[in-house]
Amino acid sequence: MKRIVKIGGAVLLVILVAVLGFVVWVQVCGVPTYEVPTSQLPTPVVAATPTQVDLGEKLVMASCADCHLNRQTNSLSGHQLLNIPKEFGAVYSANITQDKTHGIGNWTDAEVVTLLRTGIGRDGRYRLIMPHFVHMSDEDMSSMLAFLHSGSPWVKPAPTPTPAQQPSFLLKALANTVMKPTLLPTGSVAPPEPTEAITYGRYLVVGRYQCFECHSKDFKTNNAEHPEQSEGYLGGGNQLVTLQGQSIYSRNITADPETGIGTWTEAQFGQAMRYGMAPSGPLQNPMPKYSRLTDEEVHALYAYLQSVPKIKNATAEDGVRVATR
Ligand code: HEC
Ligand code: HEC
């Protein structure tokens, strides 16, 4: 008996020391820094065409503005993110206007690309919450840069300082464990032809718009390098937060007829994507509004989503709807 108590005590002590050690380690590490990988800029952006700037604007509206657009300055000068879990502390999206002091006016294109692809800033600090655009094509990447260099009011130098991040212990712990930088692509990243609907749709879902990040089971089990290996790929149920700070689950967007979007027509899907109007009613933030999707994109997204393995997964929001469908 005494022996068991002794062993039990020793085990407890080891656990306690391990937990304490982890806490101290996270506090000491804070937000990790990494060696900055150097990216080769695939397409020089010097000769940006109006078409490129226009595509860049569309992509930034779809994938950056929800976090970086400040409604007061009407520019990408950043603000505190209210739609992240409260337990993460205070996180501010950065000023990414052309301001040389407070924005990214002094960043080279290669530095911006490295951050977008890997999550590592030019100072080596890992950027929190910022999504990684691992599979975005070089062409799309260059178009976004072209827009960031353009004369649009959104990117004109705004002298708004970005407050220092105040990540909680939890966020720091995640930044040292599950949130990891992703690798730079080793070669060029070319998009498939838009006429190949399913292949192009996959590109839109994993590369251009990253739907899979929000729509698979959990950010923590997503696989940025091999998206299809993310747990519950496109089956929804990832717990997110609305702008009002309420919890919301992403929906199942596989073609399961009961819990997914298997019974939707392409036109209904287009309405949901462009105007946030699903057959069951309006969709809430953080589902972005992709107001500038082309018919070709809607068609490709729809074709691809119909083709991925169906998952049966009703989310909390589905409760009523599943019954009434
Ligand atoms: C989910 C919200 C979110 C989205 C979407 C997002 N960002 Fe960010 N971004 C952030 C946050 C938060 C930071 C600051 C993180 C930090 O400092 O730890 C940041 C930082 C940055 C920085 C670094 C600036 C600096 O001075 O450190 C750049 C550049 C940037 N984002 C560009 C973009 C672009 C371009 C897009 C769209 C392709 C985008 N971001 C999409 C949240 C987001
Ligand atoms: C930032 C996270 C996020 C991203 C990125 C995102 N979604 Fe969503 N999406 C959501 C959330 C959250 C909902 C649920 C909204 C609600 O219940 O009101 C949703 C709802 C939907 C719905 C409605 C499904 C239903 O049953 O009503 C569809 C369809 C959809 N998303 C498709 C997409 C596609 C396609 C993409 C990429 C082009 C995408 N989403 C990108 C978070 C996201």
Side-chain angles (χ1 to χ4, degrees):
M1 185 64 193
K2 250 188 183 168
R3 212 180 122 90
I4 294 179
V5 172
K6 253 193 190 161
I7 295 177
V11 168
L12 265 181
L13 194 70
V14 168
I15 294 177
L16 199 71
V17 168
V19 170
L20 262 176
F22 179 72
V23 170
V24 170
W25 176 66
V26 167
Q27 291 295 19
V28 170
C29 291
V31 176
T33 49
Y34 297 91
E35 204 175 308
V36 188
T38 30
S39 67
Q40 294 298 318
L41 247 202
T43 344
V45 206
V46 216
T49 61
T51 326
Q52 238 183 342
V53 175
D54 187 59
L55 174 62
E57 177 177 37
K58 166 176 150 166
L59 299 184
V60 168
M61 275 170 76
S63 296
C64 322
D66 277 348
C67 285
H68 284 277
L69 181 65
N70 183 318
R71 301 268 166 209
Q72 261 112 47
T73 61
N74 193 33
S75 71
L76 298 173
S77 63
H79 56 84
Q80 183 174 359
L81 296 183
L82 299 176
N83 55 355
I84 60 162
K86 281 195 193 63
E87 301 77 47
F88 281 2
V91 174
Y92 303 86
S93 63
N95 180 339
I96 57 165
T97 68
Q98 295 158 358
D99 192 273
K100 287 198 190 318
T101 313
H102 303 293
I104 53 169
N106 272 335
W107 288 46
T108 65
D109 286 343
E111 286 166 346
V112 177
V113 171
T114 299
L115 167 69
L116 292 176
R117 294 237 188 255
T118 68
I120 303 173
R122 66 173 186 164
D123 51 4
R125 183 172 64 82
Y126 183 71
R127 295 297 190 264
L128 298 161
I129 308 291
M130 185 47 216
H132 304 187
F133 295 80
V134 181
H135 302 284
M136 182 177 265
S137 73
D138 295 334
E139 206 183 314
D140 282 356
M141 200 54 96
S142 301
S143 299
M144 291 208 300
L145 287 167
F147 175 70
L148 293 175
H149 293 307
S150 76
S152 157
W154 274 18
V155 292
K156 278 221 192 95
T160 321
T162 307
Q165 308 292 344
Q166 294 170 284
S168 66
F169 173 77
L170 173 67
L171 186 53
K172 281 188 275 189
L174 290 172
N176 280 288
T177 51
V178 286
M179 297 175 175
K180 287 272 172 231
T182 37
L183 295 172
L184 280 176
T186 45
S188 58
V189 190
E193 288 299 322
T195 42
E196 306 273 320
I198 292 183
T199 336
Y200 190 60
R202 175 187 181 272
Y203 170 66
L204 301 179
V205 166
V206 306
R208 182 179 271 183
Y209 297 119
Q210 315 233 76
C211 321
F212 85 97
E213 284 279 5
C214 286
H215 280 280
S216 302
K217 191 170 173 206
D218 193 322
F219 288 120
K220 294 198 281 297
T221 48
N222 277 351
N223 189 328
E225 260 127 37
H226 308 283
E228 284 90 346
Q229 290 172 22
S230 305
E231 220 171 288
Y233 181 65
L234 301 177
N238 191 355
Q239 192 173 7
L240 303 165
V241 182
T242 66
L243 278 179
Q244 289 72 37
Q246 269 143 6
S247 141
I248 187 169
Y249 292 88
S250 67
R251 303 247 176 113
N252 181 349
I253 55 170
T254 70
D256 181 66
E258 266 155 31
T259 62
I261 59 169
T263 59
W264 291 24
T265 63
E266 188 172 319
Q268 285 173 326
F269 176 74
Q271 287 276 326
M273 296 306 297
R274 291 190 177 120
Y275 311 110
M277 189 46 86
S280 59
L283 295 171
Q284 290 193 65
N285 171 282
M287 169 65 191
K289 280 199 184 61
Y290 297 96
S291 44
R292 286 188 55 194
L293 279 191
T294 61
D295 290 344
E296 204 170 43
E297 285 179 310
V298 169
H299 178 67
L301 281 168
Y302 184 78
Y304 174 66
L305 293 175
Q306 292 287 321
S307 81
V308 300
K310 296 186 185 94
I311 293 182
K312 209 171 242 338
N313 180 32
T315 53
E317 278 78 3
D318 277 319
V320 190
R321 295 185 320 125
V322 170
T324 55
R325 244 180 206 166

